[in-house]
Amino acid sequence: RPCISPARYRRATASRRACLISRFNFVYAKERLDAEVLLKKFICDIEMVQRIIYIAALESFRAAKKAFWKIKRGVKETLAIDHCGGPASLEVAALSYIACHKSLLDVCCCVQEVVCALNVNPKLPCPADVDFNVISCFIRELCCLAFSMQTLLPPLDVACGIDGELFNRSMYYRSCDSDFTAPFVAYHVWPALMEDGAVIVKGEAVTRK
């Protein structure tokens, strides 16, 4: 069959891209808050709860991307045996195959990788204080979402913020409890969604002096 070009693949997956962005917004608006409720049973400090959820989101994307790269390498090696086009069309063929076979992702492995990362993060409570598995459904949803976002051209990813960075209004909204005159980010609540260096969906951050 004829090879699909990257440009044609982008057009063909435009509706799927829109659905994935919509899902990302839903996770932020609903499932993030559900995860907050679960964590508040262990932690009274809302700032720490929000930090945990933010780091869980970053780690979920990291784990999903790592799994995706491994899977894509194997798929490309298999498809290359009978592939008649160039490297660009092979890349598209691999992305298309993975998008149709999401079960290639061992999501349970990704979730446990994220939980382990949370357990060893020095900024978060020690495992004796909180069982991060209580938000495993939230992590699972983010891992699956991040994995699917890697099958787009270009892929979607989240921005990794740093405490104390200069607040960027084009990348983040200020949380309602922020000091709106403060120029620096105290901590991040939700990451911005990026595409090829451009902000697709703003994240959320708290600014304080």
Side-chain angles (χ1 to χ4, degrees), residues 133-207:
N133 279 297
V134 298
I135 57 170
S136 60
C137 289
F138 168 74
I139 294 170
R140 182 186 184 90
E141 174 65 18
L142 276 175
C143 287
C144 292
L145 180 57
F147 184 81
S148 293
M149 285 179 168
Q150 304 315 299
T151 64
L152 299 173
L153 266 179
L156 298 177
D157 199 0
V158 288
C160 183
I162 303 171
D163 289 356
E165 69 182 353
L166 187 66
F167 178 74
N168 183 346
R169 68 178 59 199
S170 67
M171 186 172 287
Y172 299 104
Y173 294 109
R174 277 187 169 94
S175 288
C176 58
D177 58 343
S178 293
D179 180 339
F180 280 72
T181 63
F184 300 107
V185 173
Y187 68 94
H188 298 78
V189 174
W190 192 247
L193 187 66
M194 311 291 290
E195 181 184 62
D196 216 13
V199 179
I200 301 301
V201 178
K202 284 187 180 183
E204 183 181 342
V206 175
T207 55

Side-chain angles (χ1 to χ4, degrees), residues 32-50:
R32 172 183 65 92
L33 300 180
D34 292 342
E36 278 190 12
V37 171
L38 293 172
L39 286 170
K40 284 176 184 176
K41 296 177 182 178
F42 299 89
I43 304 167
C44 297
D45 183 357
I46 183 60
E47 176 179 327
M48 183 54 67
V49 167
Q50 291 178 332

Side-chain angles (χ1 to χ4, degrees), residues 69-190:
W69 293 333
K70 289 181 180 178
I71 291 168
K72 187 175 76 167
R73 184 170 62 242
V75 168
K76 286 177 76 171
E77 288 174 357
T78 301
L79 294 178
I81 297 172
D82 298 316
H83 189 72
C84 57
S89 60
L90 177 59
E91 177 79 8
V92 168
L95 295 178
S96 180
Y97 182 89
I98 297 170
C100 294
H101 298 83
K102 297 185 185 72
S103 59
L104 290 168
L105 173 67
D106 185 347
V107 68
C108 291
C109 182
C110 281
V111 170
Q112 284 309 303
E113 188 174 331
V114 174
V115 170
C116 287
L118 294 175
N119 282 332
V120 299
N121 191 300
K123 293 183 178 180
L124 302 183
C126 68
D129 297 328
V130 57
D131 181 4
F132 294 116
N133 279 297
V134 298
I135 57 170
S136 60
C137 289
F138 168 74
I139 294 170
R140 182 186 184 90
E141 174 65 18
L142 276 175
C143 287
C144 292
L145 180 57
F147 184 81
S148 293
M149 285 179 168
Q150 304 315 299
T151 64
L152 299 173
L153 266 179
L156 298 177
D157 199 0
V158 288
C160 183
I162 303 171
D163 289 356
E165 69 182 353
L166 187 66
F167 178 74
N168 183 346
R169 68 178 59 199
S170 67
M171 186 172 287
Y172 299 104
Y173 294 109
R174 277 187 169 94
S175 288
C176 58
D177 58 343
S178 293
D179 180 339
F180 280 72
T181 63
F184 300 107
V185 173
Y187 68 94
H188 298 78
V189 174
W190 192 247

